[in-house]
Amino acid sequence: MKGIKKIVGTAHTAAQPLEQNPHAAKLKSTLLNDIKRSAYVYRVDCGGCNACEIEIFAATTPVFDTERFGIKVVASPRHADILLFTGAVTRPMRMPALRAYEAAPDPKIVVSYGACGCDGGIFHDLYGVWGGTDKIIPVDVYIPGCPPTPAATIYGFAMALGLLDQKLKAEVHFEDPTERVTLKHTGIPLELKVLIEREARRLAGYRHGQQIADEFMDLLVTCTPDDVDSKVNQFMVEKNDPRLHEIIENLYRVSLAHMSGQPTGESAIDEQASDASTKQNAKQSESAELVTD
């Protein structure tokens, strides 16, 4: 039977950890030292009292927030980088624990969590207990405690993943004055920029509309009052796109209306609605006078 060694001369057996593939062991050493992404953890309860589980879930709450280090709990061992074994390994849970270990892809890190997971705890000599996690599978990291605190949990994971070493070697970048982002189209008034962007997005969508608005404003920056008409017409001829031609004409018309002080966009709609309301009120007043006469 897998993971079990027969004791010669008696009917008893002893637990024997599974042998690890040398290639998987090499990959694991690289993962332990150089992991640069989120680490997915799958928890395997081998027969504990749930005290360790409470501390594990406490470590994932916003108070301790293990996800700020990229440590996330997943629902399947097939998604896991780390297997977290809690509780002493009982006889009914031995095979499920082995199946979880074999289901996790290599390279994988095995963490033995809590006093029971490390060596069986106070249950180490019971007839229904194999012992600690290392009695059935190879263990990479031990996190002792009964139960370990959330802080100890995070520290154990940090040591296992080399996060502390990464933090110590982290580089801090200070922004150089030449790296600062400069605003585009600073020569165009802000109200006109907003008007052009809104109109372009309304006609062509958010992403494509923003691209058209940027091209149109790049064109306006190079224009003077004398050559703006010719440059806009030349731009539309070069693009040779009927739909773009229509949008540019609309943007040009809106820009001219804004610069000449005419109402555009929402203000024009509001003014039209106000005029319609005024006319409606006038008609109602005339009707009321006729009825009174």
Side-chain angles (χ1 to χ4, degrees), residues 217-235:
M217 287 188 284
D218 288 339
L219 178 65
L220 287 184
V221 170
T222 63
C223 294
T224 64
D226 297 330
D227 62 2
V228 60
D229 290 332
S230 60
K231 285 191 174 181
V232 170
N233 291 329
Q234 182 182 357
F235 175 79

Side-chain angles (χ1 to χ4, degrees), residues 23-68:
H23 179 63
K26 183 178 179 181
L27 290 175
K28 184 187 294 185
S29 64
T30 303
L31 178 66
L32 284 168
N33 294 327
D34 300 328
I35 189 168
K36 303 292 184 183
R37 58 170 176 80
S38 297
Y40 295 156
V41 180
Y42 179 73
R43 182 187 58 82
V44 183
D45 184 357
C46 296
C49 64
N50 286 336
C52 289
E53 281 71 17
I54 294 173
E55 298 301 315
I56 292 170
F57 291 126
T60 63
T61 60
V63 176
F64 294 94
D65 192 13
T66 55
E67 290 198 13
R68 62 197 161 110

Side-chain angles (χ1 to χ4, degrees), residues 183-189 192-193 196 212-228 231-232 235 252 255 259:
L183 296 176
K184 298 174 66 175
H185 314 122
T186 54
I188 300 176
L192 180 57
K193 285 177 61 177
I196 292 172
I212 295 174
D214 288 338
E215 291 181 0
F216 180 70
M217 287 188 284
D218 288 339
L219 178 65
L220 287 184
V221 170
T222 63
C223 294
T224 64
D226 297 330
D227 62 2
V228 60
K231 285 191 174 181
V232 170
F235 175 79
Y252 186 41
S255 301
M259 289 186 288

Side-chain angles (χ1 to χ4, degrees), residues 27-42 66-73 80-84 107-111 140-143 152-169:
L27 290 175
K28 184 187 294 185
S29 64
T30 303
L31 178 66
L32 284 168
N33 294 327
D34 300 328
I35 189 168
K36 303 292 184 183
R37 58 170 176 80
S38 297
Y40 295 156
V41 180
Y42 179 73
T66 55
E67 290 198 13
R68 62 197 161 110
F69 301 110
I71 301 170
K72 300 181 179 181
V73 179
D81 302 305
I82 301 173
L83 294 174
L84 183 64
K108 54 199 169 198
I109 300 170
V110 177
V111 177
D140 302 297
V141 180
Y142 293 88
I143 302 179
T153 303
I154 295 175
Y155 182 78
F157 278 111
M159 293 296 291
L161 300 175
L163 296 179
L164 296 182
D165 188 53
Q166 292 180 30
K167 296 292 183 183
L168 291 174
K169 294 180 180 178

